[in-house]
Amino acid sequence: MQSSYRPPENFPLQGGARDRTVVISMPEHPKDYIVWSMASLYFGNPFCLGLLAFYFSIKSRDRKVVGDLAGARAYGSTACCINGWALALIILTIIIAIIVVVVTMSAVTRHFPSHSPYY
């Protein structure tokens, strides 16, 4: 996983013998989870959670463009949480579907034995 940390940049001041270094720390932009929200919207979308996550991702991106980093971080965190719940429900649904198919197939094969002439 790639880190988004960037070390502070140093810029020397104009001043002759007493040159000093100024450290400028740039604020880290919050994540908006837009790609994960689009994937949740397209694949599965249980209880419209993907749509809700997409909405909060767009709100986070809008807040980031305006310059409200605290609001963008809050909306991004909400989008991440909703995406997590959507992913958990999608995985749970797939597991339940696999179990139902396996149990149904085993019941059908037990109920209807093979119709071989040698049976």
Side-chain angles (χ1 to χ4, degrees):
M1 186 171 175
Q2 188 178 14
S3 173
S4 62
Y5 172 75
R6 292 180 297 191
E9 299 177 18
N10 297 328
F11 296 103
L13 293 175
Q14 306 288 333
R18 296 184 315 187
D19 285 342
R20 303 221 177 175
T21 302
V22 175
V23 177
I24 300 173
S25 62
M26 301 299 289
E28 185 175 329
H29 291 286
K31 295 182 180 183
D32 55 11
Y33 302 100
I34 190 80
V35 175
W36 190 11
S37 297
M38 288 191 317
S40 294
L41 180 63
Y42 187 72
F43 300 108
N45 196 16
F47 305 113
C48 291
L49 288 177
L51 182 63
L52 190 62
F54 186 70
Y55 170 76
F56 279 108
S57 295
I58 295 297
K59 291 290 283 183
S60 174
R61 186 164 281 194
D62 289 345
R63 292 284 93 200
K64 189 168 32 173
V65 167
V66 171
D68 180 16
L69 296 182
R73 196 169 291 114
Y75 282 123
S77 174
T78 304
C80 181
C81 183
I82 293 171
N83 278 323
W85 280 104
L87 180 64
L89 286 174
I90 291 169
I91 291 172
L92 187 66
T93 303
I94 290 171
I95 290 172
I96 288 173
I98 290 171
I99 290 172
V100 166
V101 167
V102 167
V103 167
T104 304
M105 291 302 294
S106 68
V108 167
T109 56
R110 242 184 301 119
H111 189 271
F112 298 111
S114 176
H115 293 292
S116 171
Y118 303 109
Y119 184 67

